[in-house]
Amino acid sequence: MTRARQIWILIALFTGSVVVLLTMPLIGMKFTPLQAVLDPAGSGIEGEIFWRIRIPRVLAAWLAGAGLAAAGMVFQALFRNSLATPFTLGVASGAALGAALSIRFGIALSIAGISSTPLWAFAGASVSILLVYGITSGITGTRRGMNTATMLLAGVAVSFFFSSLNLFTQYISDFTHTFRIIRWLMGGVQVAGYKSILEMLPLVLGGLVITLWLTRELDILTTGEEMAAGRGVDVARTRNLLFFGSSLMVGGVVAVCGPIGFVGLMVPHICRLLVGPGHRFLAPASILAGGTFLTVCDTFARTIIAPAEIPVGVITALLGGPFFLALLIRDR
Amino acid sequence: MQWCRECTHAPHLLHFCTVYIFHLPYSIFTIPVTMKVDQRTEPVPALEIVGLSLSFGETDILKDVTFDIPRGRFLSIVGPNGAGKTTLLRCVMGVTTDWAGEVLVDGRPVGFYRRKDLARLISYVPQSDDTWFPFTGRELVMMGRYPYLSPFTPPSRTDVEVVERTLEATGTTSLADRDMRTLSGGERQKILIAGALAQEAGIMLLDEPTTFLDPRHTEEILSILADLNKSGVTVVMVTHDINHAAYYADSVTALVDGSVAFNGSSEDLMNKEVLASVYGKEFILVKHPESGKMMALPGGGQV
């Protein structure tokens, strides 16, 4: 893994992101011709669809993919386990419960027109990550790598617990709330305009900045907490910061797009093969690749059976399920 | 009294250090109070452990552990399983936190140092771990430079030179580009020691560095440690092998049930009564036919 190769791959991933962000909004049920987009009058229906619907949607998909991939990468380093992701650890369920509660009880106080649902999702994500980490490290200890079985079981338990609370929330909700919650739980990036982007942007960006800031600590944490302490890493502080950052990302994404699975599993793994395990390159690579991946998946989801749409979560799960099994078999 | 936390020097008005900007407030706002200069005439020990106690619930893991480790010493810590040897190191390194007592590094309490500053004074090789991300040996050794690096600057030429030098000193240059997961236990342990060495700290703590290793690797690692000690590094090694402890180290501390049961030279350890009191079993002492040093063999009818 030479330095030059790593840099070239980053450049390629960056270019890929730019190309995808520029071209995917043009694709849809009907291809939007360039002149309709650039029409200064902008009153045509095609321009309208492009600017009001497709651009926000593509942006949401990119941000969600980037955030989920980065969160997955952080969890894998903290748990020192290749199967740790926002989905398998139940963090997405926690975030979903927080968001569902805020939708149901209307505690989504909006501040300057921006909903506070992401903050509730963030709170849910924080609680579940602390739970799973506490359970796993309490049972297996932090000295050896986190035991895969314990971690997955703890994740499943937390996930089930929050999912049933989520079902309960739906049960006591009226029809419209329930429909909204169910539709959103499927995971999709069909956002309503730029407001949703504004809701998730600060959280996701905050999390990404924390992740990029702590790449060196992430490297050292993969060798174990005891070793990290010896190297001069403030383990408790770093771990809490990373939990905070990843909860921000998962909370922000889940609040707007619902729980989209497996992005945080596949993308960091493929990037590890491309640029190696060092987070200095792995983190930006995962962010760029995650964004590109989900944007492409979503374009596929909304065009394959047009005019109907598949929730993008279905596509990622179809790809991710086999991937997860393959990793499980390989790691044995 | 306020010390400069950037370079851990006593404060006075015109004091400069490398991180000048962060340091400035200290030099401006701290009045040079009458400094409590260490009055002791003998040199300050590298590590002083004073009344260290730790308990988990009802069980006492460490009970009032007190001993000094003078600078430049090669000290072995021995004792039966569960005596608290590993816990002692973990307390010093701040992995375990809620202990009582005092640990002084270069005459100042550990809590005084920032983590990165402490890592420039003490390096630590914990019991090796079996989960690994596919880092290469060189990348792992470079992690030892962490206390000298700031978040976004890549390693400097000095850092690279130090890494190459430590790889050479541990005889691991040929392993440096291999994936850590493909190395044998002995090779991996040498890389871990190289990583600790790259911290350029004056004190190195090692937790059972030779357990699970074959005789050749054991000897290689112990002679690396002996060389290190000769170059002035204070080495503290937890070990189960009494003979290694006595042969390579110049002093030995034995822990039994969380208390210091023996603290003295390695020659004094090689005594039937001492060994019996530490391990609760009989030993036979024989003279090594080549080196002439005393060796302990399990006694009491066992082979």
Side-chain angles (χ1 to χ4, degrees), chain B residues 96-276:
Chain B
T96 308
T97 43
D98 36 7
W99 41 269
E102 243 186 317
V103 175
L104 302 173
V105 181
D106 284 350
R108 297 202 193 113
V110 265
F112 159 82
Y113 298 103
R114 294 183 315 171
R115 294 257 21 144
K116 276 193 178 184
D117 294 331
L118 190 64
R120 295 181 188 197
L121 299 175
I122 310 184
S123 57
Y124 177 40
V125 182
Q127 278 175 41
S128 81
D129 205 314
D130 29 319
T131 52
W132 290 98
F133 278 60
F135 283 108
T136 64
R138 187 174 274 108
E139 286 170 324
L140 207 101
V141 176
M142 187 50 97
M143 290 180 195
R145 298 302 293 169
Y146 174 77
Y148 300 90
L149 299 170
S150 48
F152 290 110
T153 40
S156 70
R157 185 169 293 167
T158 328
D159 296 316
V160 175
E161 275 167 15
V162 170
V163 168
E164 294 308 319
R165 208 163 55 226
T166 49
L167 284 170
E168 212 160 297
T170 51
T172 46
T173 314
S174 57
L175 311 172
D177 290 315
R178 276 174 56 191
D179 184 336
M180 284 295 285
R181 296 172 306 175
T182 65
L183 299 180
S184 75
E187 294 168 330
R188 193 180 288 179
Q189 191 64 271
K190 280 199 268 182
I191 294 274
L192 293 185
I193 291 173
L197 202 52
Q199 282 172 244
E200 296 190 299
I203 309 167
M204 186 184 281
L205 311 183
L206 302 103
D207 196 354
E208 296 187 23
T210 56
T211 313
F212 308 122
L213 300 189
D214 62 48
R216 184 173 69 90
H217 279 108
T218 304
E219 213 168 290
E220 278 178 16
I221 282 175
L222 289 170
S223 66
I224 290 171
L225 294 181
D227 287 349
L228 235 133
N229 181 244
K230 272 196 205 98
S231 71
V233 177
T234 311
V235 177
V236 180
M237 171 177 81
V238 166
T239 180
H240 273 303
D241 194 314
I242 312 163
N243 294 318
H244 286 148
Y247 188 86
Y248 287 90
D250 31 51
S251 60
V252 178
T253 298
L255 290 183
V256 177
D257 287 336
S259 316
V260 177
F262 170 84
N263 190 11
S265 73
S266 37
E267 283 79 21
D268 293 345
L269 176 79
M270 285 304 178
N271 174 308
K272 277 189 176 180
E273 283 84 55
V274 171
L275 287 175

Side-chain angles (χ1 to χ4, degrees), chain A residues 197-219:
Chain A
I197 308 278
L198 277 183
E199 280 173 16
M200 67 193 274
L201 190 66
L203 279 81
V204 174
L205 272 189
L208 291 180
V209 167
I210 290 175
T211 310
L212 290 170
W213 185 269
L214 295 174
T215 50
R216 202 161 269 149
E217 284 82 357
L218 279 167
D219 280 353

Side-chain angles (χ1 to χ4, degrees), chain A residues 299-317:
Chain A
T299 309
F300 191 67
R302 65 190 164 86
T303 49
I304 187 81
I305 52 164
E309 286 181 1
I310 315 170
V312 71
V314 174
I315 305 258
T316 57

